[in-house]
Amino acid sequence: MSSQPTSISTEQCEACHLRPLCLPDHLRDADLIRRLQRAVTSSPPRPRGSLLYTVGDRRHSFFFLRSGSAKAIVSDEQGTACVTSFFFPTDIIGVSSLESPVYQESVELLERSAVCEIKASALEELCGGHGEVLHGLFAKIAGSFELERGARLRNNHASSDARIADLLLEIRRRMQAIGRSTEQIVLPMSRYDIASHLCMAPETVSRGFGRLKDDHLIEVRGKNIRLRNPAALMKLAQGDGNRRASQVVREAG
Amino acid sequence: MSSQPTSISTEQCEACHLRPLCLPDHLRDADLIRRLQRAVTSSPPRPRGSLLYTVGDRRHSFFFLRSGSAKAIVSDEQGTACVTSFFFPTDIIGVSSLESPVYQESVELLERSAVCEIKASALEELCGGHGEVLHGLFAKIAGSFELERGARLRNNHASSDARIADLLLEIRRRMQAIGRSTEQIVLPMSRYDIASHLCMAPETVSRGFGRLKDDHLIEVRGKNIRLRNPAALMKLAQGDGNRRASQVVREAG
DNA sequence: CGCAATATTGAGCGAGTTCAAGGTGCGTGG
DNA sequence: CCACGCACCTTGAACTCGCTCAATATTGCG
């Protein structure tokens, strides 16, 4: 509760009580440590409720939580928010947006908390001459990260139809990324795999495909799926999940 | 469908049709390219159903999917399996186990597929003299990755009680990692945040805490939670989710 | 063709949601 | 110090979506 110093030197790293749990652990090269510290900005604790960043901000930094706690929030366009993660001291914040030029989530402090800020540019520079490899690798890693979170969000508040629609759209997107058809997709996985992935019974997958077919959003022939109305699928996937496919079709035509 | 060559030289990278979508994209340093290729092993397509690796294998490599498709499976000790991800060409496979010395999941091919294998050791060496920074950063990133997947699995087939128990245990583990009490935890987030995180209504969180309290697994005083019976909590969290807290208590008591 | 694996369809049930009404804790200001 | 107000939390009752169980249909492959 006592007031904190308003400015903290970057040399604080050497005295930080979290040092052994922080990024530059077991570093021996003094020059490297000095350069790393130049990339890091410590600052006084921020009040509860303040935002480290919000969706769409230019991704300029990563954060390292020194004290307190935080939550990450992803909100669909409809305003339905979902808490994807909680952060505690020594957690790194912001890596899930590694790939993107803007943050994919908002992070809000749950209590008065102190963070270290690590400029992304400085960190990249720090990684030396092989930035190209790193950049490619980071992009891949971040891609996997996004997929994992996408799967997580998909299973959240949405109805079974919405989750199925969302999975179909993700597969479509990934097929498009590698130059395949966006209209006709061939599912390589069984209905059981889909069910397991979407956390539902295989029967529910069947019924879901059936409803989407009845509403003319897709055509189903075994593992061959034809996307008849991607716009309506998106509407359904992003909807609040309380509406059946047939309710969406009228709006998205 | 035509048969593939049984042996593929590593020089294939330069001719690979996926080159612009692969890791060493926009590389200009010829020496770097050569060294990167030395870390990569191409091989003939593998049959449907074969495993790239299984849970617990020593993590020796990452994989790059050139053709076909795959699924990642995480199974609890009870044998309940869950498909966490699907992979398509150009996806990287194995990064979710970045932090761990062993793989955290199994990956099975959904059809006849070709992969490139990238030795982890070679990749690390490739990243040059700053391996220490990278290692720390990778560990942090992988940690976030694991948290995200943990959250995903938590929301899967488990009952609301199991999900709550699992969240409490994760927070306990993270508190322990930073040297705090493992018995008494203070939740910094609201019941609403927990509900959003666990994909349930706030009311369900309340009732869940109530049940855990009634069964003497925890004590609840607002955001102050005392873990009375961690063993039973674990049993509950890892159970198949069809059993209420009171059913578990008798076994783990 | 015939078997086995996979997929669809139907009926009934139950956990979690929604809606609605109290209850509790805490910081603020009188 | 207490009373107020607000945000958070708990509890209750009815409903509903997805699950389970079971039967049937279809597909894939030897």
Side-chain angles (χ1 to χ4, degrees):
Chain A
M1 298 306 154
S2 63
S3 70
Q4 298 275 344
T6 53
S7 145
I8 298 180
S9 140
T10 57
E11 289 174 7
Q12 176 122 356
C13 276
E14 277 157 16
C16 181
H17 66 292
L18 291 179
R19 176 70 194 287
L21 296 167
C22 182
L23 259 181
D25 185 23
H26 52 270
L27 278 190
R28 288 184 204 84
D29 180 344
D31 177 55
L32 193 56
I33 293 180
R34 226 174 302 120
R35 285 197 292 155
L36 186 60
Q37 288 191 5
R38 225 174 293 143
V40 174
T41 314
S42 300
S43 56
R46 313 180 185 203
R48 168 197 164 119
S50 53
L51 295 161
L52 291 186
Y53 51 82
T54 55
V55 182
D57 286 358
R58 199 174 58 78
R59 179 186 61 69
H60 48 80
S61 297
F62 305 114
F63 297 87
F64 179 81
L65 192 58
R66 288 175 55 213
S67 69
S69 53
K71 65 177 172 184
I73 310 162
V74 173
S75 44
D76 349 26
E77 287 103 45
Q78 272 72 15
T80 324
C82 171
V83 175
T84 54
S85 324
F86 296 116
F87 300 105
F88 297 104
T90 73
D91 285 343
I92 194 169
I93 299 175
V95 288
S96 57
S97 305
L98 209 49
E99 187 185 34
S100 162
V102 299
Y103 290 112
Q104 299 299 302
E105 69 216 338
S106 302
V107 172
E108 180 187 331
L109 300 183
L110 288 165
E111 57 193 307
R112 181 185 169 83
S113 310
V115 297
C116 292
E117 186 169 350
I118 304 163
K119 296 262 175 254
S121 56
L123 190 64
E124 281 169 20
E125 180 201 356
L126 197 71
C127 287
H130 302 311
E132 298 155 318
V133 174
L134 283 180
H135 196 268
L137 185 60
F138 276 4
K140 284 284 172 195
I141 291 172
S144 306
F145 206 106
E146 278 302 308
L147 286 179
E148 195 74 28
R149 183 165 58 192
R152 172 157 152 53
L153 289 175
R154 186 177 304 127
N155 286 354
N156 272 5
H157 295 289
S159 73
S160 60
D161 286 5
R163 288 186 271 166
I164 291 171
D166 195 53
L167 177 62
L168 289 178
L169 289 171
E170 185 195 297
I171 292 176
R172 184 177 101 120
R173 193 172 45 71
R174 291 167 76 177
M175 288 300 152
Q176 186 172 29
I178 58 176
R180 302 222 185 132
S181 167
T182 63
E183 195 174 332
Q184 192 80 26
I185 61 183
V186 180
L187 304 175
M189 70 290 288
S190 72
R191 298 285 195 266
Y192 287 76
D193 285 339
I194 295 175
S196 173
H197 185 64
L198 296 180
C199 308
M200 46 177 91
E203 295 92 329
T204 307
V205 177
S206 260
R207 290 186 234 273
F209 275 108
R211 280 187 291 263
L212 294 182
K213 190 183 65 179
D214 293 345
D215 295 334
H216 307 292
L217 300 191
I218 63 175
E219 276 171 30
V220 183
R221 209 169 48 256
K223 304 197 162 179
N224 240 288
I225 308 288
R226 182 190 164 90
L227 306 179
R228 288 202 133 269
N229 193 341
L233 280 175
M234 283 179 209
K235 196 103 184 174
L236 177 61
Q238 304 201 341
D240 58 7
N242 289 333
R243 26 190 16 191
R244 303 241 62 104
S246 47
Q247 290 178 276
V248 175
V249 127
R250 263 175 278 132
E251 301 170 25
Chain B
M1 298 306 153
S2 62
S3 70
Q4 300 273 347
T6 53
S7 147
I8 298 179
S9 141
T10 57
E11 289 174 7
Q12 177 122 356
C13 276
E14 277 157 16
C16 180
H17 65 292
L18 291 178
R19 174 70 194 285
L21 297 168
C22 183
L23 260 182
D25 185 23
H26 53 270
L27 278 191
R28 288 184 205 85
D29 181 342
D31 177 54
L32 193 55
I33 293 180
R34 225 173 303 120
R35 284 196 293 155
L36 187 59
Q37 289 190 4
R38 225 174 293 142
V40 174
T41 314
S42 300
S43 57
R46 311 179 188 205
R48 168 195 164 122
S50 52
L51 294 161
L52 291 187
Y53 51 83
T54 55
V55 183
D57 285 358
R58 199 173 59 78
R59 180 186 59 70
H60 48 80
S61 298
F62 305 113
F63 297 88
F64 179 81
L65 191 58
R66 290 175 54 213
S67 69
S69 54
K71 65 178 173 184
I73 309 161
V74 174
S75 45
D76 348 28
E77 286 102 46
Q78 272 71 16
T80 324
C82 171
V83 174
T84 53
S85 325
F86 296 116
F87 299 106
F88 296 104
T90 73
D91 285 343
I92 193 168
I93 299 176
V95 289
S96 57
S97 305
L98 209 48
E99 188 185 33
S100 162
V102 298
Y103 290 112
Q104 298 299 304
E105 70 215 339
S106 302
V107 172
E108 180 188 330
L109 300 183
L110 288 165
E111 58 192 306
R112 182 185 168 82
S113 311
V115 297
C116 292
E117 185 168 351
I118 305 163
K119 295 262 174 257
S121 55
L123 190 63
E124 280 169 21
E125 179 199 358
L126 197 71
C127 287
H130 302 311
E132 297 156 321
V133 175
L134 283 181
H135 195 268
L137 186 60
F138 276 4
K140 285 283 172 197
I141 292 173
S144 306
F145 206 108
E146 278 301 308
L147 286 178
E148 196 74 29
R149 184 166 57 193
R152 172 157 151 55
L153 288 175
R154 186 177 305 128
N155 286 353
N156 273 5
H157 295 289
S159 73
S160 59
D161 286 4
R163 286 186 271 166
I164 291 171
D166 194 52
L167 177 62
L168 289 178
L169 289 172
E170 185 195 297
I171 292 176
R172 184 177 102 120
R173 193 172 45 72
R174 290 167 76 177
M175 287 301 151
Q176 186 171 27
I178 58 176
R180 303 222 185 133
S181 167
T182 63
E183 194 175 332
Q184 192 80 26
I185 61 184
V186 181
L187 304 175
M189 70 290 286
S190 72
R191 298 285 196 268
Y192 288 76
D193 284 339
I194 295 175
S196 174
H197 184 65
L198 296 181
C199 308
M200 46 176 92
E203 293 93 329
T204 307
V205 177
S206 258
R207 291 186 234 272
F209 275 107
R211 279 188 291 264
L212 295 182
K213 190 183 66 178
D214 292 345
D215 295 334
H216 308 290
L217 300 192
I218 62 176
E219 275 172 29
V220 183
R221 208 171 49 255
K223 303 196 162 179
N224 241 287
I225 308 288
R226 183 190 162 90
L227 306 179
R228 287 204 135 266
N229 192 343
L233 281 175
M234 283 178 209
K235 197 103 183 174
L236 177 61
Q238 303 201 342
D240 58 7
N242 290 334
R243 18 170 50 171
R244 302 242 60 104
S246 48
Q247 291 178 275
V248 175
V249 132
R250 263 174 279 132
E251 302 170 25

